[in-house]
C-alpha cells in the first residue's frame, strides 16, 4: 500500500489507542491500531483453515493485513511432535502495513508442541491461549517438557489463558449424533469463535463458508457452526477474558476501489488469465505438481471458460516440453515449478532461447539445494535463473514484491515474452505464494494491450524476386523474430535445437554465424525496455538499501522504523533483474554505501558488484523464513553508523 501511514514504525506490540468501559458490569473494549495473531497446532488441527477464515473476515471488515502460513515439511508428521507443528500468523491494522509482523501479540497453542515451537517468538506480556486438554503427561514428554509449563511458572511473564478447548467443544456438540473423535475435530472452530469475539470480527462469512464447504454433510456443517458460536459465547461469558479489542478499518490505507483478500499464487494465476485475455491468445499451462507452486495449476484448471488449458504432466521435463510446443502452436504458454524443477527444465529453457518463442517459466522459490525445504521460503534461484543453462542462453527475469503484485508481475512477464519472443523467468517464492494481502481489483482499461501479430505471409524477397518466409528475420526495434502459427500456408519453416542460420533458420555450423546469433540473442535481452528504477530518498541519504522480490515488505518496514527514529536512509527495489533498469548504475553511484538484504548468500550483491563495480554489502538470511523488520532495522542502523 502506498497511502498515508498512521504508524510507520510497525512496532512490535499493538498500540492501545482508546478504551471504552461498558455500563452494568459489561466487559471493557480496548481499541488497538494493530494486532499480530498466530494460530499453532498439529498439522491435523486445521490451523491453516482457522487462520484463513480469520483473515477473510478481517479483510471483509476493511483492515489492512498480511499473513504468513507456515507448513510442516512432512506430509503427516507424528501427532504432537515438533516437526508436525503447523502455524498461521496474521498481522492486521487500521493503517498501511507491509509484513506479517515480527512477534505475535497473541498465540493460540493447541498442544504442547505448538507452545514449545512458538514460545520463543513471543514478547513478554503477550497473550497465550492454550488448549489444556492436550497437556497430558505423554504429550508433554513427547516434546521434552519434564513439567507442565502451565504450572511451573515458566509462563509467568505472559498473559496466560488456559482453556479446555476440546472438552468445551465436545460439550457444545453433545446434541449432535457425532462420535467424540468427530466432535473434537471442531475445536479449531471453537478457537476461531473465541478469537472472533476477542477482536470483534464479523461472523456471517464464516458461517456461510461452513455451510458451503459441508453442503453434502449438513450435520457436520451445523456442528462446526455450533462450535464456532460456542467459542464466541464462551468469550462473552467467561471471566477469564475481561477485555475484548477493536481494530478499526484501514480507511486511509486503500485508494478507492473494490478489494479482495488474495494470496500470491492466486494473484499470479489471475494475472496469467488476464494476460491471455489481453493478448487474445489461449493460455496453456504444462506443469508437474511441486510445492509451493501447485496452487497455480489447481487454480488455472478451474478456468476452462476463459480458454485455459492445463496439462498435468508425468514429470517436469514433459511439462515444459508441452508448454514449448503450445508456444510454437500460438498459445500463451506457461510452465510452473520450484527450484528443483527449474534444474530439470533447463535444457528446454535453452531450446526456447534458441527457438526464440514466448514462454513463461514461473519459479516459486523454496529452500534448497536438491529437495531441500519444500515448505519454506528462499530467494536462492536468482543465479540459476540468470545462468543455469548450457551455452550462452540469456533470459529476462521478473520478480514480484508482494502477494498482490504477483498479478502485475505476470502481466509484465507476458509483455516481455510476447514482445521480444523469448522465454521469461518469473521468480516468486513461498512467502509470497502462500501469504496474502488486500488487492484492488483493476478495471479492464487499466490492463495493458498485449495483442501480437502472427506472421501471415512472406517477409523476404530473394535476389531472383521470389518472395519467401524467413523465420529469423527480425524486427529492427525489438530484434524479435516473426511468430508463424504451424499450418499457415507458405510459412513452413525448420525448427530445432541446433544453431540456425540468421534469417533463414536453416541449420548452420558456421563459426561466424554462431558468433553472430549468440550476440544477437544477447542484444535482444539487453535491449528490452524496462522502467527506470525509482528511488525513495526524501532526505538525501548516504546509504541505499537495494532489494528484490519478497524482501520488499521487511525492507520497507525497517526503513520506516529508521526514518521514524531520525535516521536518513534511501530505498530502491528491483522488479527487473535481467536486464537491469538502465539507470541502476547511475543510482548506485550516488551513494556511499549500498546494502543488499537477500534470503540467499548474496546473489544479487554478486551481480551488482560484477556489473557496476560497486562495493555492495550483503545482509543475508537462509533459515527458510522471511526477514523480520526489527532485525533488518538493526542491521541497517549498524550500516548507517559504520
Amino acid at each position: 500500500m502506498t497511502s498515508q501511514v498512521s504508524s510507520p514504525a510497525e512496532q512490535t506490540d499493538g498500540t492501545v489507542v482508546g478504551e471504552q468501559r461498558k455500563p452494568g458490569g459489561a466487559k471493557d473494549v480496548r481499541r488497538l491500531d494493530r494486532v499480530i495473531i498466530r494460530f499453532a497446532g498439529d498439522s491435523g488441527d486445521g490451523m491453516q483453515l482457522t487462520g484463513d477464515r480469520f483473515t477473510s473476515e478481517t479483510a471483509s471488515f476493511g483492515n489492512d493485513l498480511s499473513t504468513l502460513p507456515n507448513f510442516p515439511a512432512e506430509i503427516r508428521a507424528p501427532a504432537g511432535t515438533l516437526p508436525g507443528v503447523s502455524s498461521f500468523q496474521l498481522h492486521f491494522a487500521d493503517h498501511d502495513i507491509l509484513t506479517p509482523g515480527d512477534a505475535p501479540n497473541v498465540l493460540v497453542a493447541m498442544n504442547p508442541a505448538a507452545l514449545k515451537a512458538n514460545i520463543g517468538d513471543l514478547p513478554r506480556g503477550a497473550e497465550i491461549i492454550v488448549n489444556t486438554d492436550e497437556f497430558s503427561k505423554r504429550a508433554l514428554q513427547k516434546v521434552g517438557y519434564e513439567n507442565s509449563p502451565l504450572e511451573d511458572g515458566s509462563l509467568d511473564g505472559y498473559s496466560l489463558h488456559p482453556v479446555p478447548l476440546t472438552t468445551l467443544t465436545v460439550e457444545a456438540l453433545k446434541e449432535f449424533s457425532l462420535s467424540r473423535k468427530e466432535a473434537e475435530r471442531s475445536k479449531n472452530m471453537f478457537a476461531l469463535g473465541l478469537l472472533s469475539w476477542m477482536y470483534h470480527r464479523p461472523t456471517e462469512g464464516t458461517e456461510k463458508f461452513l455451510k458451503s464447504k459441508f453442503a453434502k454433510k449438513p450435520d457436520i456443517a451445523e456442528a462446526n457452526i455450533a462450535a464456532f458460536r460456542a467459542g464466541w459465547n464462551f468469550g462473552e461469558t467467561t471471566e477469564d477474558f475481561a477485555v475484548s479489542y477493536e481494530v478499526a478499518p484501514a480507511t486511509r490505507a486503500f485508494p478507492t476501489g473494490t478489494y479482495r483478500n488474495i494470496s500470491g499464487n492466486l494473484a499470479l494465476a489471475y494475472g496469467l488469465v488476464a494476460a491471455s485475455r489481453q493478448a487474445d491468445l489461449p493460455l496453456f499451462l504444462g506443469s508437474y505438481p511441486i510445492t509451493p507452486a501447485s496452487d497455480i495449476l489447481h487454480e488455472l484448471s478451474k478456468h476452462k471458460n476463459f480458454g485455459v488449458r492445463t496439462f498435468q504432466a508425468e514429470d517436469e521435463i514433459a511439462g515444459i516440453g508441452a508448454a514449448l510446443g503450445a508456444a510454437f502452436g500460438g498459445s500463451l504458454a506457461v510452465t510452473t515449478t520450484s527450484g528443483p524443477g527449474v534444474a530439470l527444465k533447463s535444457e528446454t529453457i535453452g531450446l526456447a532461447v534458441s527457438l526464440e518463442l514466448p514462454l513463461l517459466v514461473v519459479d516459486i522459490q523454496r529452500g534448497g539445494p536438491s529437495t531441500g525445504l519444500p515448505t519454506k521460503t528462499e530467494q536462492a534461484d536468482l543465479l540459476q535463473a540468470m545462468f543455469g543453462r548450457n551455452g550462452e542462453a540469456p533470459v529476462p527475469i521478473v520478480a514480484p514484491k508482494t502477494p498482490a503484485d504477483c498479478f502485475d508481475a505476470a502481466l509484465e512477464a507476458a509483455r516481455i515474452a510476447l514482445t521480444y519472443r523469448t522465454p521469461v523467468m518469473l521468480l516468486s517464492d513461498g512467502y509470497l505464494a502462500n501469504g496474502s494481502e488486500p488487492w484492488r481489483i483493476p478495471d479492464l482499461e487499466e490492463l495493458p494491450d498485449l495483442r501480437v501479430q502472427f506472421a501471415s505471409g512472406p517477409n523476404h524477397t530473394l535476389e531472383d524476386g521470389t518472395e519467401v518466409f524467413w523465420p529469423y528475420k527480425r524486427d529492427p526495434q525489438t530484434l524479435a523474430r516473426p511468430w508463424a502459427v504451424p499450418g499457415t500456408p507458405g510459412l513452413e519453416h525448420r525448427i530445432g535445437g541446433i544453431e540456425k542460420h540468421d534469417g533463414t533458420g536453416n541449420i548452420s555450423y558456421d563459426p561466424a554465424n554462431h558468433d553472430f546469433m549468440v550476440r544477437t540473442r544477447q542484444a535482444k535481452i539487453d535491449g528490452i525496455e524496462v522502467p527506470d528504477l525509482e528511488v525513495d530518498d526524501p532526505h538525501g541519504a548516504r546509504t541505499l538499501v537495494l532489494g528484490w522480490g519478497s524482501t520488499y515488505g521487511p525492507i520497507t518496514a525497517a526503513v520506516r522504523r529508521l526514518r521514524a527514529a531520525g535516521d536518513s536512509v534511501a530505498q530502491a527495489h528491483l522488479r527487473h533483474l535481467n536486464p537491469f533498469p538502465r539507470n541502476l548504475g547511475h543510482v548506485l553511484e550516488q551513494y556511499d554505501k549500498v546494502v543488499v538484504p537477500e534470503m540467499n548468500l548474496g546473489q544479487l550483491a554478486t551481480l551488482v558488484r560484477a556489473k557496476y563495480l560497486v562495493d555492495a554489502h550483503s545482509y543475508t538470511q537462509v533459515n527458510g523464513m522471511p526477514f523480520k523488520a526489527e532485525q533488518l532495522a538493526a542491521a541497517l542502523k549498524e550500516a548507517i553508523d559504520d
Side-chain angles (χ1 to χ4, degrees):
M1 309 301 168
T2 57
S3 56
Q4 181 177 355
V5 177
S6 304
S7 180
E10 282 207 355
Q11 302 164 10
T12 301
D13 299 313
T15 303
V16 178
V17 296
E19 187 164 352
Q20 176 183 353
R21 293 192 175 274
K22 294 190 174 181
K27 296 186 178 184
D28 294 341
V29 178
R30 293 179 185 171
R31 291 179 53 214
L32 303 176
D33 66 346
R34 53 187 292 280
V35 175
I36 303 168
I37 297 174
R38 183 181 296 175
F39 298 93
D42 196 68
S43 58
D45 286 337
M47 294 296 93
Q48 302 304 321
L49 175 63
T50 305
D52 182 69
R53 289 313 313 158
F54 196 95
T55 299
S56 294
E57 299 294 5
T58 296
S60 69
F61 188 72
N63 296 119
D64 195 10
L65 62 90
S66 180
T67 68
L68 178 62
N70 191 8
F71 307 93
E74 298 183 30
I75 294 175
R76 193 67 175 92
T81 62
L82 292 174
V85 173
S86 175
S87 68
F88 188 105
Q89 184 163 305
L90 166 68
H91 182 192
F92 62 101
D94 66 0
H95 58 273
D96 172 35
I97 59 174
L98 297 152
T99 74
D102 289 356
N105 308 116
V106 182
L107 172 66
V108 179
M110 303 298 281
N111 60 20
L115 178 65
K116 187 165 189 177
N118 293 282
I119 189 67
D121 292 337
L122 268 63
R124 290 291 174 172
E127 293 192 79
I128 304 175
I129 301 171
V130 295
N131 179 15
T132 56
D133 288 326
E134 294 296 324
F135 278 68
S136 65
K137 183 176 181 180
R138 183 171 182 272
L140 291 166
Q141 290 176 342
K142 193 179 290 188
V143 295
Y145 279 126
E146 295 183 4
N147 301 299
S148 173
L150 309 184
E151 301 170 355
D152 64 6
S154 60
L155 301 179
D156 288 349
Y158 306 95
S159 177
L160 180 65
H161 302 280
V163 181
L165 288 173
T166 306
T167 300
L168 291 171
T169 302
V170 172
E171 179 67 20
L173 302 184
K174 63 182 180 181
E175 64 185 71
F176 295 87
S177 56
L178 301 174
S179 68
R180 180 178 177 86
K181 186 175 183 180
E182 289 173 327
E184 288 178 357
R185 290 174 182 162
S186 297
K187 63 181 179 290
N188 64 323
M189 289 297 104
F190 189 100
L192 178 60
L194 173 57
L195 269 293
S196 297
W197 170 83
M198 282 183 66
Y199 291 97
H200 297 253
R201 298 297 90 185
T203 61
E204 296 82 2
T206 293
E207 294 194 9
K208 183 178 179 181
F209 167 82
L210 291 170
K211 289 178 181 178
S212 174
K213 180 177 177 64
F214 299 107
K216 296 181 179 180
K217 299 179 179 179
D219 291 346
I220 300 297
E222 290 303 318
N224 276 280
I225 291 171
F228 177 65
R229 291 174 177 173
W232 177 284
N233 293 332
F234 177 77
E236 183 71 28
T237 57
T238 183
E239 294 183 2
D240 191 36
F241 293 90
V243 177
S244 64
Y245 304 92
E246 287 184 349
V247 180
T251 54
R252 292 183 293 170
F254 305 120
T256 302
T258 302
Y259 287 80
R260 60 156 294 166
N261 183 49
I262 200 165
S263 68
N265 273 354
L266 183 57
L268 208 157
Y270 285 176
L272 294 172
V273 174
S276 164
R277 303 299 286 181
Q278 293 303 105
D280 196 22
L281 296 174
L283 178 64
F284 180 90
L285 173 68
S287 184
Y288 179 75
I290 183 172
T291 302
S294 300
D295 290 340
I296 303 171
L297 171 61
H298 299 160
E299 182 61 33
L300 288 179
S301 68
K302 303 174 184 177
H303 297 292
K304 296 180 179 65
N305 57 315
F306 287 116
V308 178
R309 295 293 178 266
T310 53
F311 169 56
Q312 181 175 321
E314 65 269 30
D315 56 42
E316 295 282 4
I317 299 171
I320 190 173
L324 186 56
F328 179 57
S331 292
L332 177 59
V334 185
T335 187
T336 53
T337 189
S338 190
V342 173
L344 292 168
K345 295 177 189 289
S346 62
E347 182 181 6
T348 309
I349 297 173
L351 177 59
V353 172
S354 176
L355 300 183
E356 299 187 50
L357 285 171
L359 173 68
L360 303 187
V361 181
V362 178
D363 177 6
I364 313 297
Q365 300 167 96
R366 73 190 205 190
S370 188
T371 303
L373 303 171
T375 61
K376 307 302 179 184
T377 194
E378 205 164 272
Q379 287 184 299
D381 294 348
L382 176 56
L383 294 184
Q384 180 180 216
M386 184 76 77
F387 304 118
R389 292 160 297 283
N390 65 294
E392 295 287 346
V395 297
I397 303 172
V398 176
K401 62 183 181 181
T402 68
D405 187 50
C406 289
F407 178 87
D408 295 317
L411 284 165
E412 174 64 359
R415 177 191 73 84
I416 294 173
L418 294 171
T419 302
Y420 295 91
R421 310 286 196 269
T422 178
V424 177
M425 296 287 300
L426 195 160
L427 296 184
S428 179
D429 60 40
Y431 171 36
L432 295 183
N434 297 315
S436 62
E437 66 176 351
W439 172 58
R440 187 181 70 83
I441 301 172
D443 296 327
L444 288 178
E445 54 267 23
E446 298 176 37
L447 302 180
D449 184 351
L450 300 178
R451 288 173 295 182
V452 298
Q453 292 292 325
F454 289 111
S456 57
N459 61 359
H460 184 76
T461 303
L462 299 177
E463 292 182 0
D464 62 3
T466 304
E467 292 187 336
V468 296
F469 173 67
W470 276 14
Y472 283 85
K473 187 168 185 175
R474 303 176 182 280
D475 180 291
Q477 297 298 319
T478 63
L479 298 182
R481 75 173 187 88
W483 194 3
V485 176
T488 306
L491 303 190
E492 299 85 357
H493 57 283
R494 187 187 302 273
I495 204 162
I498 296 178
E499 183 65 281
K500 295 126 186 76
H501 186 273
D502 179 43
T504 68
N506 295 329
I507 293 174
S508 174
Y509 298 100
D510 178 62
N513 178 76
H514 176 59
D515 182 272
F516 178 80
M517 293 296 282
V518 166
R519 295 180 187 277
T520 300
R521 288 189 289 260
Q522 182 65 58
K524 181 171 68 170
I525 304 306
D526 292 341
I528 291 173
E529 289 290 335
V530 303
D532 279 350
L533 181 66
E534 296 183 0
V535 182
D536 175 19
D537 185 6
H539 306 117
R542 295 173 55 239
T543 299
L544 172 71
V545 187
L546 181 67
W548 71 278
S550 66
T551 57
Y552 172 78
I555 289 174
T556 306
V559 167
R560 287 180 180 180
R561 290 182 182 220
L562 292 171
R563 290 177 181 170
D567 291 299
S568 180
V569 60
Q571 177 188 0
H573 208 78
L574 289 166
R575 162 174 282 183
H576 298 89
L577 295 147
N578 192 33
F580 285 130
R582 285 173 171 74
N583 69 330
L584 177 56
H586 175 72
V587 167
L588 297 174
E589 292 172 355
Q590 308 307 306
Y591 295 91
D592 296 340
K593 186 173 296 183
V594 177
V595 182
V596 185
E598 298 180 79
M599 292 188 293
N600 55 49
L601 295 182
Q603 297 187 15
L604 175 60
T606 297
L607 294 174
V608 167
R609 290 189 191 110
K611 186 172 181 64
Y612 301 105
L613 302 181
V614 171
D615 186 19
H617 299 263
S618 284
Y619 182 75
T620 64
Q621 171 178 297
V622 282
N623 61 6
M625 298 294 289
F627 283 110
K628 293 182 177 180
E630 182 179 11
Q631 161 198 359
L632 263 183
L636 296 177
K637 173 66 174 173
E638 183 177 343
I640 293 170
D641 294 342
D642 187 9

